Amino acid sequence: MKIALLGYGKMGKVIEKIALERGHEIVLKKDEFNTFDGLSNADVAIDFSAPGIAVNNISTAINNGIPIVSGTTGWLEDYHKIENLCNKKNGAFLYSSNFSLGVNVFFELNNYLAKMMSKFKEYNVSMEEIHHTQKLDKPSGTAISLANAIINHTDKNNWVIENAKEDDVFIDVKRIDEVPGTHSVFYNSDVDFIEIKHVAHNREGFALGAVVAAEWIVGKKGVFSMKDVLDLK
């Protein structure tokens, strides 16, 4: 499989390593200094870039008939625009805030727990997310996905990172050197405390998931998520 890497930072380099180990070929390594030359030779594109350029990367791939997998966060106000473009062009697009197998299982656990805890009003829910200091968006896309699932199943209305009110899910955001990613969900009452947590040890789990998603999406049409790839629906 021929892969175009749209974004060649730390994650892009780890994805390249995993892809080569799995027998694939990299035909484009796009960073801020070069063009899309080579994209037309790709079977699939993987976007791990930056919030300000992700929409252009994804749009360019879709407009050129290249299936694309994106793990860039911080641009989701334009998600429906990309979804509509993909459907209009009969393309293939997959977004995930986190490609780790463990995190996607954690998403399902969070969903299930939120449904259960919605019956117990004496518990207050909050979250914590910790990432490396180079991460540009706050909170992480993974944290937002977790918070939105909680909001969908409880009487909470919003997530916030400061000045939380009673109907908010408070996300305590921390940036610490060399932390790949830690996400915790807390349910606290006067009598006890429930916590679920996912801790990433390195970036390789994210990279492997992205390559597996890229392998999966080739030949398909539509808008997908990691639930489709991992058959978690």
Side-chain angles (χ1 to χ4, degrees):
M1 190 169 73
K2 296 180 178 179
I3 300 174
L5 295 179
L6 307 184
Y8 195 59
K10 288 183 178 179
M11 270 301 298
K13 291 178 173 66
V14 180
I15 289 169
E16 177 185 32
K17 173 180 175 288
I18 297 290
L20 293 175
E21 288 173 353
R22 292 173 71 88
H24 303 307
E25 178 184 353
I26 308 300
V27 295
L28 171 62
K29 303 173 190 178
K30 187 183 185 307
D31 57 25
E32 58 185 311
F33 303 110
N34 60 0
T35 68
F36 287 97
D37 287 349
L39 179 62
S40 60
N41 298 321
D43 299 309
V44 66
I46 301 176
D47 168 68
F48 271 84
S49 55
I53 59 176
V55 172
N56 183 53
N57 283 348
I58 298 164
S59 300
T60 300
I62 292 171
N63 283 324
N64 283 274
I66 307 297
I68 181 161
V69 166
S70 177
T72 306
T73 58
W75 62 272
L76 289 186
E77 65 274 10
D78 290 317
Y79 180 84
H80 291 300
K81 172 183 169 184
I82 292 296
E83 188 176 38
N84 291 336
L85 177 66
C86 183
N87 290 329
K88 179 182 176 182
K89 296 288 186 177
N90 194 30
F93 168 62
L94 187 153
Y95 167 77
S96 180
S97 58
N98 196 309
F99 283 94
S100 159
L101 172 60
V103 164
N104 281 277
V105 172
F106 189 65
F107 283 154
E108 296 304 303
L109 179 61
N110 175 63
N111 234 352
Y112 186 68
L113 183 59
K115 290 177 187 177
M116 290 178 60
M117 298 305 293
S118 65
K119 304 170 187 174
F120 304 108
K121 305 303 180 186
E122 59 269 33
Y123 288 87
N124 182 58
V125 60
S126 62
M127 295 172 49
E128 178 185 74
E129 71 102 334
I130 310 171
H131 275 90
H132 50 87
T133 52
Q134 291 80 30
K135 187 165 181 60
L136 299 177
D137 52 321
K138 295 171 66 172
S140 68
T142 300
I144 292 171
S145 295
L146 291 164
N148 284 338
I150 292 166
I151 290 165
N152 287 341
H153 296 299
T154 66
D155 57 1
K156 300 297 184 182
N157 293 322
N158 305 287
W159 58 262
V160 297
I161 60 174
E162 56 186 13
N163 302 322
K165 298 189 285 292
E166 188 174 345
D167 62 349
D168 294 327
V169 178
F170 173 63
I171 306 174
D172 187 9
V173 177
K174 297 177 180 177
R175 294 291 174 262
I176 301 172
D177 284 341
E178 303 305 320
V179 176
T182 298
H183 295 87
S184 303
V185 179
F186 311 117
Y187 288 88
N188 194 29
S189 78
D190 291 337
V191 296
D192 58 12
F193 179 81
I194 299 169
E195 175 183 359
I196 58 172
K197 176 187 284 191
H198 179 273
V199 180
H201 297 309
N202 53 53
R203 291 184 173 89
E204 293 205 358
F206 311 133
L208 175 60
V211 175
V212 168
E215 293 168 348
W216 180 89
I217 202 173
V218 172
K220 294 180 174 65
K221 302 293 182 184
V223 177
F224 305 102
S225 73
M226 281 301 283
K227 280 191 174 187
D228 299 297
V229 178
L230 301 174
D231 196 23
L232 293 174
K233 288 191 172 181

